[in-house]
Amino acid sequence: VIRRIAIVGSGMAGLSAALLLQEQNHEVTIFEKSRGPGGRMAAKRVAGGSVDIGAQYFTIRNPAFSAFLNRYAEGSFRPWPGRFGYQTTSGQWEPFPQETRYVGAPRMTAITRGLSTAADVQAQTRIYSLVRQGQQWLLNDTDGESYGPFDAVIVTAPPAQTRDMFSNSRLTALSDQMQDHVSHIQPCWATAVYFRQALEQPYDGMRCQNPILDWIANNSSKPGRDDSGQWWVLHATPQWSREHENTSADKVSAAMIEAFKKVTGVTVCPDDWISHRWLYAKSSPTEQPGFRWYGDQRIGLAGDWLSGGRVEGAFNSASGLVAHMLAD
Ligand code: FAD
């Protein structure tokens, strides 16, 4: 009988799996290596507020996702009534098709904070390996602490971290299976730039054709932000980010700011900026196995990388896994 379950990772996938399992009276503990929950639905504190440096917005197409968010995180997310455009290969700007784009308010992490209030999250605990104890699992962290026993483990870390955990656990077959997915995850350099004087731009979110940047957004146009001036978020292309994986943040931000000025025609320099490197940012949207459940070992895998590479995909992956585990 599966009663106590450990979950590695407190992003959208881990939190969704935890809350859905708790609804079925399972006892769940989430282990998270960072200081707080949220994973890639991240915000960085900056002077005067915070800026979303990971996921920019998300869709709510699945009615179950809508019901889930309203049940556990009501009031923490709102539609972003921004103007969205993309650049054609000839350089022209076109408006994006209408779709409701949601964001956390007043920052992206508000949602995962909301979800985590109903979950047991053990933060600042990086899981190193899983150790068999009879039919159950113990989890060891990188400080040598041991937790458990648990009847099942759900891992929601990105493929490279999941592979390492399996390999440290001598779960060679599982670790080998992860290898394929690791190379599909792209890095992303993110730079947030601050302008004391608001910029005049035709769009608040822009998908651009540029060798360095593929997305720029006016973070201050999102609901619930009351910045004086404007914070903009710039995301570098996967290819450029890969090529500059080991370049210093100073050099990266300088190049990204130059590219931003070129794309937008802005001539003034930002008054402040901050860069963040995501080693495992985005996966291929074509990967759709949903989730993985290794019934013999009672190990499950969930995460955006198994279900389209986005926030809503992370929920879909977790809810699919939980439904499967309950039926198994
Ligand atoms: P994560 O959020 O990565 O959660 C995994 C968690 O596991 C993390 O908190 C991590 O710290 C933890 N962890 C890892 N290893 C361990 C360990 N050994 N022990 C303990 N904890 C561990 N999606 C959209 O829908 N729209 C967007 O506009 C969008 N833009 C994006 C832009 C960027 C720059 C990035 C980085 C992502 C973007 N995404 C976007 C993707 C979106 O953020 C992800 O799809 C979603 O947040 C993934 O959730 P997850 O729970 O699967 O994984």
Side-chain angles (χ1 to χ4, degrees), residues 9 11-13 32-33 39-40 54-57 127 303-304 310-311:
M12 181 54 82
E32 169 56 55
K33 70 177 167 61
R40 280 169 280 158
Q56 295 295 288
Y57 61 80
I127 299 303
D304 69 328
R310 296 179 308 112
V311 169

Side-chain angles (χ1 to χ4, degrees), residues 246-270:
N246 299 313
T247 307
S248 72
D250 281 352
K251 283 198 176 132
V252 163
S253 52
M256 289 177 73
I257 288 167
E258 270 321 299
F260 173 76
K261 289 165 83 176
K262 201 160 168 187
V263 170
T264 56
V266 167
T267 50
V268 289
C269 287

Side-chain angles (χ1 to χ4, degrees), residues 8-14 31-34 38-41 53-58 125-127 156-158 161 165 188 235 278 281-282 303-304 309-311 314:
V8 180
S10 68
M12 181 54 82
F31 298 93
E32 169 56 55
K33 70 177 167 61
S34 304
R40 280 169 280 158
M41 293 177 79
I53 46 151
Q56 295 295 288
Y57 61 80
F58 58 95
T125 308
R126 185 190 285 263
I127 299 303
T156 70
Q161 290 156 332
M165 199 183 305
C188 177
H235 283 162
W278 292 100
K282 292 181 204 171
D304 69 328
R310 296 179 308 112
V311 169

Side-chain angles (χ1 to χ4, degrees), residues 51-57 78-82 102-106 108 204 215 217-226 233:
V51 55
D52 301 339
I53 46 151
Q56 295 295 288
Y57 61 80
R78 285 169 42 195
W80 179 11
Y102 292 91
V103 295
M108 195 53 94
D204 302 302
W215 167 258
N218 176 1
N219 195 79
S220 306
S221 72
K222 293 181 175 183
R225 280 77 176 163
D226 54 354
V233 175

Side-chain angles (χ1 to χ4, degrees), residues 10 27 52 54-55 64 73 96 113 120 138 152 154 173-174 177 179 189 191 194 197-198 232 242 287-288 294 304 314:
S10 68
E27 209 180 288
D52 301 339
F96 254 118
R113 292 257 169 224
D120 173 20
L138 295 176
I154 295 176
L174 294 188
Q177 282 189 36
Q179 196 51 42
W189 268 107
T191 296
Y194 175 68
Q197 205 90 56
W232 285 74
R242 174 82 67 206
E287 295 212 41
Q288 300 283 355
Y294 304 99
D304 69 328

Side-chain angles (χ1 to χ4, degrees), residues 3 58 68 104 106 157 159 165 199 280 295 321:
R3 197 175 64 83
F58 58 95
F68 175 81
M165 199 183 305
L199 306 177
Y280 314 114
L321 172 64

